[in-house]
Amino acid sequence: MRPLKFRLRLLPLLLLGLGLATAAVPLVGRDAFAQDQQPSQPPQQAEQPPQLANGLLDAAVADLNKAKKEYGSIQDSAKQAGADDEALVALSGQVDVLNRSVAAISTRLKPRSAEIDARLTQLGAAPKEGQPPEAVIVTQERDRLNAERKQISAVSLDADNLTAETNRLSMQLMETRRRLFTETLLKRTEVSAGTFQDAASALVDEGVEFRDAVTSWIGFVLKAKFASFLAAVCLSIGAALIFLFGGYRLFRRYYVQDEAIENPPYISRLSVAFWSTLIRTLSLVAFLVTSFFFLSNFNVLRPDIAPILGAFFGFIGLVYFVGRLTNAVFAPFRPHWRLVKLSNKGARSLSWCLQAMAVVNGLDYVFDRISESMGSPVVVTVVKSFFAALLIGLILIAASFGSPMLAKNGDPDAPGRRWPHGMAIILRVLGALVIFISFIGYVGLARFMATQMIVTSAVIATMYLGFQLGKAVSKQGVFAETIIGRLLENRLKLGDVALDQGGLIAGLATYAVALLTGIPLILLSWGFHIQDLELIAYRLFTEIRIGNISISLLGICAGILLFAGGYLITRWFQRWLDSNVMARGQVDLGVRNSVRTGIGYLGVAVAAIIAISAAGIDLSSLALVASALSVGIGFGLQNIVSNFVSGLILLVERPFKVGDWIVSGTSEGIVKRISVRATEIETFRKQSIIVPNSELINASVGNWTHRNRLARSEIPVSVSFESDPQKVMEILLDLVRGVPKVLRNPEPHVEFLRFGPSSLDFEMRFYLSDLSDGMDIRNSLRIQILKRFREEGISIPYPHQELHIVRDGKRSRQMDAAGSKLTDSADGPEEEREDIAEPVVSQREEQVQEAKSAARRRGRTAAE
């Protein structure tokens, strides 16, 4: 029996040791990846752990092993890509997808890890030596949870290491692309007579090869792909009808320059210029893209013809875009629609110069694609780009010597003035710089500069038009004069305020269109690829990292929508509960208000929590912030928090609002602003008083305009005792009833207040619909009362006063015999009466005089 009991006591220790031994088994895959992994070597495949806790961990390990294999494949492909920018772009996209998938592995394991930590907290720590032993099942469960947590930690660490490696590989690919771009841009080629001779001979061979390629492609299409070609052409024509003619029919009123308008306003010119450039260009680009898509998907294009046709479509789009922009801004043949102050001749010359530069640059791009497809030597591309840069530089220098500016008399047909001196110098310097860089051998850099001067400048000019248009539309009263504003006003019967708010929205929408259209075009022209833009857009909308916090714009938008929906549902439920349930149950008004307010607070709080969770913000972080704030409150933030909470209460309950006339303590005035900390009150002397919100919550506040602006006004009136009170009351009522702004219900009345010391006191009381009219009406009534009393012979008495003068000394005693008394009767001052009295000096007065004399003697002695 004793050995059995001894064995049972040792059983928990044996189980604990077995659990620790199981948990201490190393994960080979983790060690191989986390410790021995080098950046230049692909991660090694992790071995299967000895024991896996559940299916979730099994799936995570399998996905992690698959991700490691894919990482090694991408790394090998990156070494083989070399200088191929297209391949590097594709690999960057694959690395980004792999990075997100690996991050998802750790995310899947976090909930299970949190569950294990919570369960271990419930179980508590293992009993120490000398403490009573715990149940065997508790020890077994703790050991199992610790082993599972160690396995999850190992897999999470492995995933984090792989994430770091993918980030490093992504940076390496980006750095390689940047280096290739710089090397290509700054590559120097010798420009000499031999270069031109080699290029001429190679160009002849290229022309022959291109002719043969086109001829063979046409024969291939006619023999094998004629039906597919016809189908692609028909679909392309349908796309043209939809985009070009459909866009013209739908939007022509917004971008067609009306000849009937002689002097259109500037906003109309801006609107037509921006929308005509944007809509027409996008319509043509959509047609070209769909046409190329149909031809490619019907297998009509061969690999050697497809890039040439794509470059040709790009050439058409570039030339059309520059042509539309110059026609919209310069308006060569419509001076009244022109946006800049140019003469007719100057507008036409500048339009031709810009379009010529676009044609030269576009043809250079097309010829470059032809050379690549035909496998021509690099010298051919260099010479073509050299001549293109030379022509663009000459066009810039020639444009600088023109006289395009509008004449001083404002006549567009008159000869123009020369460029401003600084502008002419800039054009000449740019042209000379492009030519100089070409001659010293940096043809790629010269070509890049020429391209950016055309494409980027055109895009920036279009964006500037969009910004100016948005700014003009946002001005007060402007949107109501536009076509859309008048349409909304007629259809929806909108007022001035609603149209003004619509103008703000229209301006913001115009800004957004200009940015979302212009920025991608500029990035594409500066060497970015479409996949780069897709990756940037994806990260922008799904993952913005600020430190350790990840924010999603889509999540934020979803959170805002959820909060708005929850708020509307809460308000609807409040109204339904108040009007249907509590009103029918005859619940007290105070109880109804309390229930309605509490439901409002609860609904808004729940909607806010749901919105924050949907936005991807971790509520545990907010809990940490709240705990930190609680510590701060204990050290002296009580007043700040009190004012903050009081401000929230004021904003929700609205005991007063901006514009109300309130009285609080010694403060009285109009509420100008209510913030979460303090309320600004402006007195009638135009003094601003900042009152903390907690004082307004804890003290009594009088609000003259809480429910309405109805108020009572009073005018006190006093008459002599000889006046007839009934007549006085009739006169006052007659005067107050003759004022139009005085309300008839409640009816004005006059109160006979009291018998005063020298008068009969009345008070005229009346009600006004707007208390702000009280001062003017009271002043007017006082003047009318004074005039009417004079006409009726009713006097307003002076107060009755008596004055007694007492003097000291003998002279005082002599003057006391002739005492004076001034008496004012109720009707005015009476004649002065003098009474001669015997000089009498009381004993008390003598004592007072002796005391004063003694005090004066003591004062003189002290001074000496």
Side-chain angles (χ1 to χ4, degrees):
M1 190 68 183
R2 186 174 181 181
L4 179 61
K5 184 183 295 185
F6 182 76
R7 292 174 185 175
L8 291 176
R9 287 180 181 179
L10 291 179
L11 182 60
L13 296 177
L14 292 175
L15 292 175
L16 179 61
L18 181 61
L20 292 176
T22 304
V25 176
L27 295 175
V28 180
R30 178 195 62 183
D31 296 337
F33 183 80
Q35 300 177 5
D36 301 332
Q37 171 75 18
Q38 297 296 330
S40 59
Q41 297 179 357
Q44 300 295 326
Q45 183 177 355
E47 294 183 2
Q48 190 78 1
Q51 280 187 343
L52 297 178
N54 49 40
L56 178 64
L57 194 58
D58 289 339
V61 172
D63 293 341
L64 187 60
N65 292 333
K66 180 180 178 181
K68 290 178 181 179
K69 293 180 180 179
E70 187 175 354
Y71 173 83
S73 176
I74 294 174
Q75 197 172 35
D76 294 337
S77 300
K79 294 178 181 178
Q80 299 173 2
D84 189 356
D85 188 65
E86 298 290 341
L88 293 176
V89 170
L91 291 175
S92 298
Q94 295 177 14
V95 170
D96 184 72
V97 174
L98 178 62
N99 184 278
R100 292 197 296 268
S101 64
V102 175
I105 296 175
S106 299
T107 304
R108 293 202 308 267
L109 294 176
K110 285 182 180 179
R112 178 56 184 167
S113 179
E115 292 177 3
I116 293 174
D117 292 338
R119 181 56 180 162
L120 287 174
T121 303
Q122 293 177 355
L123 294 177
K128 297 181 180 179
E129 184 178 358
Q131 293 181 348
E134 61 183 1
V136 177
I137 190 173
V138 175
T139 304
Q140 292 176 351
E141 185 177 2
R142 183 185 296 109
D143 295 340
R144 181 181 60 82
L145 292 175
N146 284 324
E148 184 178 357
R149 185 173 61 175
K150 288 184 178 181
Q151 293 177 1
I152 291 176
S153 300
V155 175
S156 299
L157 179 61
D158 215 359
D160 293 340
N161 290 334
L162 183 57
T163 301
E165 290 297 323
T166 54
N167 290 331
R168 188 180 297 111
L169 180 58
S170 178
M171 296 300 296
Q172 291 176 358
L173 293 175
M174 187 180 301
E175 182 63 28
T176 303
R177 290 184 59 202
R178 187 182 297 111
R179 186 180 67 254
L180 289 175
F181 180 76
T182 305
E183 291 176 354
T184 304
L185 200 62
L186 300 179
K187 184 178 181 180
R188 187 175 181 276
T189 306
E190 183 180 357
V191 179
S192 60
T195 304
F196 290 103
Q197 292 177 359
D198 296 339
S201 60
L203 186 60
V204 174
D205 298 335
E206 179 186 299
V208 174
E209 292 180 3
F210 178 67
R211 183 194 62 191
D212 295 339
V214 173
T215 304
S216 63
W217 175 68
I218 294 175
F220 164 75
V221 169
L222 293 177
K223 292 179 181 179
K225 294 290 183 179
F226 185 71
S228 300
F229 178 75
L230 288 179
V233 169
C234 291
L235 292 175
S236 300
I237 294 174
L241 294 175
I242 293 174
F243 292 114
L244 300 180
F245 295 101
Y248 179 79
R249 292 293 299 274
L250 290 176
F251 303 105
R252 68 176 302 274
R253 66 171 65 182
Y254 304 118
Y255 63 77
V256 173
Q257 298 173 352
D258 192 354
E259 291 290 343
I261 303 177
E262 296 182 357
N263 189 18
Y266 187 71
I267 185 174
S268 298
R269 288 180 281 165
L270 270 175
S271 177
V272 169
F274 178 70
W275 294 116
S276 64
T277 303
L278 186 64
I279 294 177
R280 290 184 174 180
T281 303
L282 290 179
S283 298
L284 180 64
V285 169
F287 163 65
L288 296 174
V289 170
T290 52
S291 299
F292 188 82
F293 173 79
F294 290 140
L295 291 172
S296 298
N297 280 270
F298 280 95
N299 295 323
V300 176
L301 299 179
R302 293 190 319 197
D304 56 341
I305 299 297
I308 300 174
L309 186 62
F312 182 70
F313 282 174
F315 164 73
I316 294 175
L318 175 63
V319 174
Y320 184 81
F321 170 55
V322 175
R324 292 310 317 163
L325 180 63
T326 55
N327 184 70
V329 176
F330 299 144
F333 303 102
R334 296 181 178 88
H336 52 287
W337 285 95
R338 195 168 296 153
L339 291 175
V340 291
K341 295 181 178 180
L342 298 177
S343 63
N344 290 338
K345 183 179 180 180
R348 287 192 291 268
S349 62
L350 286 179
S351 298
W352 284 111
C353 287
L354 290 174
Q355 292 182 29
M357 292 170 63
V359 170
V360 170
N361 191 78
L363 289 177
D364 178 41
Y365 181 71
V366 173
F367 291 153
D368 186 15
R369 287 294 178 268
I370 293 174
S371 299
E372 289 184 3
S373 298
M374 299 297 106
S376 301
V378 179
V379 67
V380 177
T381 302
V382 171
V383 171
K384 291 176 183 177
S385 299
F386 172 81
F387 282 108
L390 182 63
L391 288 174
I392 291 174
L394 292 175
I395 292 172
L396 287 174
I397 295 174
S400 66
F401 289 100
S403 301
M405 305 305 295
L406 187 64
K408 291 184 178 180
N409 58 6
D411 185 10
D413 293 324
R417 294 175 292 136
R418 290 187 174 275
W419 288 102
H421 190 62
M423 189 64 185
I425 292 178
I426 291 174
L427 292 175
R428 292 166 193 169
V429 169
L430 289 176
L433 183 62
V434 170
I435 296 174
F436 175 74
I437 291 175
S438 300
F439 271 104
I440 62 176
Y442 293 100
V443 179
L445 179 60
R447 176 189 175 186
F448 182 77
M449 290 177 58
T451 303
Q452 298 313 314
M453 280 190 291
I454 299 170
V455 179
T456 306
S457 300
V459 175
I460 291 176
T462 307
M463 293 176 64
Y464 177 75
L465 291 178
F467 293 151
Q468 291 296 106
L469 177 60
K471 182 179 179 181
V473 171
S474 301
K475 291 182 179 179
Q476 188 173 5
V478 175
F479 182 70
E481 303 298 328
T482 60
I483 297 175
I484 300 178
R486 289 194 294 268
L487 180 64
L488 293 176
E489 183 179 8
N490 296 330
R491 294 286 182 87
L492 304 179
K493 306 299 180 183
L494 299 180
D496 294 337
V497 177
L499 288 175
D500 185 59
Q501 298 297 322
L504 293 176
I505 296 174
L508 292 176
T510 306
Y511 290 151
V513 170
L515 287 173
L516 295 178
T517 306
I519 292 179
L521 293 176
I522 292 176
L523 293 177
L524 288 174
S525 66
W526 281 83
F528 285 82
H529 286 258
I530 295 179
Q531 293 182 358
D532 296 331
L533 301 183
E534 292 176 354
L535 181 60
I536 293 173
Y538 178 82
R539 290 181 176 178
L540 179 65
F541 285 99
T542 59
E543 186 180 5
I544 300 175
R545 290 194 173 274
I546 303 175
N548 294 327
I549 301 176
S550 179
I551 300 175
S552 170
L553 292 182
L554 293 178
I556 292 175
C557 295
I560 293 173
L561 292 177
L562 288 174
F563 178 77
Y567 180 81
L568 294 176
I569 292 174
T570 301
R571 290 291 178 259
W572 171 82
F573 184 73
Q574 281 181 297
R575 290 192 298 268
W576 178 82
L577 185 66
D578 183 64
S579 59
N580 291 278
V581 179
M582 292 189 291
R584 293 182 180 181
Q586 298 182 355
V587 181
D588 184 69
L589 290 177
V591 177
R592 289 170 58 181
N593 181 70
S594 300
V595 172
R596 186 172 60 250
T597 304
I599 290 175
Y601 288 152
L602 180 61
V604 171
V606 171
I609 292 173
I610 294 174
I612 292 173
S613 301
I617 300 175
D618 190 3
L619 293 178
S620 61
S621 302
L622 297 180
L624 293 176
V625 174
S627 61
L629 285 177
S630 63
V631 176
I633 292 170
F635 284 97
L637 295 179
Q638 298 95 334
N639 293 333
I640 296 176
V641 175
S642 176
N643 290 327
F644 177 77
V645 175
S646 301
L648 296 179
I649 295 174
L650 292 177
L651 292 173
V652 173
E653 292 189 353
R654 301 183 70 187
F656 53 82
K657 57 185 181 298
V658 174
D660 281 357
W661 178 356
I662 68 171
V663 181
S664 175
T666 59
S667 303
E668 180 177 4
I670 306 298
V671 178
K672 289 297 181 181
R673 187 172 65 90
I674 302 174
S675 62
V676 293
R677 193 198 67 83
T679 298
E680 179 184 350
I681 301 175
E682 186 180 89
T683 65
F684 299 104
R685 299 174 65 183
K686 298 302 179 182
Q687 179 189 19
S688 295
I689 300 177
I690 310 301
V691 182
N693 290 328
S694 59
E695 295 185 6
L696 297 176
I697 289 293
N698 299 324
S700 299
V701 178
N703 190 345
W704 285 96
T705 56
H706 182 51
R707 300 297 181 188
N708 49 53
R709 300 186 66 84
L710 178 69
R712 195 186 79 175
S713 189
E714 303 91 8
I715 299 179
V717 179
S718 299
V719 299
S720 64
F721 284 100
E722 288 78 9
S723 302
D724 184 5
Q726 188 65 34
K727 185 177 180 180
V728 171
M729 295 174 66
E730 291 176 356
I731 291 173
L732 294 178
L733 286 174
D734 182 59
L735 292 176
V736 73
R737 288 170 180 169
V739 179
K741 292 186 177 181
V742 173
L743 297 178
R744 298 298 179 265
N745 186 19
E747 186 178 4
H749 65 282
V750 178
E751 292 287 338
F752 189 172
L753 295 179
R754 69 183 67 84
F755 295 97
S758 57
S759 61
L760 302 176
D761 297 335
F762 298 85
E763 188 174 73
M764 182 168 56
R765 300 172 180 174
F766 52 91
Y767 289 86
L768 302 173
S769 61
D770 191 348
L771 78 165
S772 60
D773 298 331
M775 183 175 293
D776 295 337
I777 293 176
R778 287 193 296 269
N779 289 340
S780 177
L781 280 174
R782 289 190 183 102
I783 295 172
Q784 295 180 24
I785 291 170
L786 185 60
K787 290 181 180 179
R788 187 69 178 272
F789 278 5
R790 288 176 178 175
E791 293 175 358
E792 300 291 339
I794 299 174
S795 61
I796 299 176
Y798 294 97
H800 183 79
Q801 297 178 350
E802 291 185 357
L803 179 64
H804 298 273
I805 301 176
V806 179
R807 298 189 178 184
D808 300 336
K810 296 179 179 179
R811 188 175 181 181
S812 171
R813 297 189 191 99
Q814 295 175 1
M815 296 300 296
D816 285 340
S820 63
K821 182 185 296 182
L822 299 177
T823 306
D824 293 341
S825 65
D827 296 330
E830 298 180 352
E831 293 183 357
E832 188 180 66
R833 299 191 303 271
E834 296 183 0
D835 295 333
I836 305 299
E838 292 290 334
V840 179
V841 181
S842 64
Q843 183 179 359
R844 182 173 180 80
E845 290 178 347
E846 291 179 354
Q847 292 176 356
V848 171
Q849 294 298 330
E850 290 176 0
K852 291 182 178 180
S853 300
R856 285 195 292 270
R857 287 195 299 270
R858 286 194 299 269
R860 286 196 298 267
T861 302
E864 292 174 356

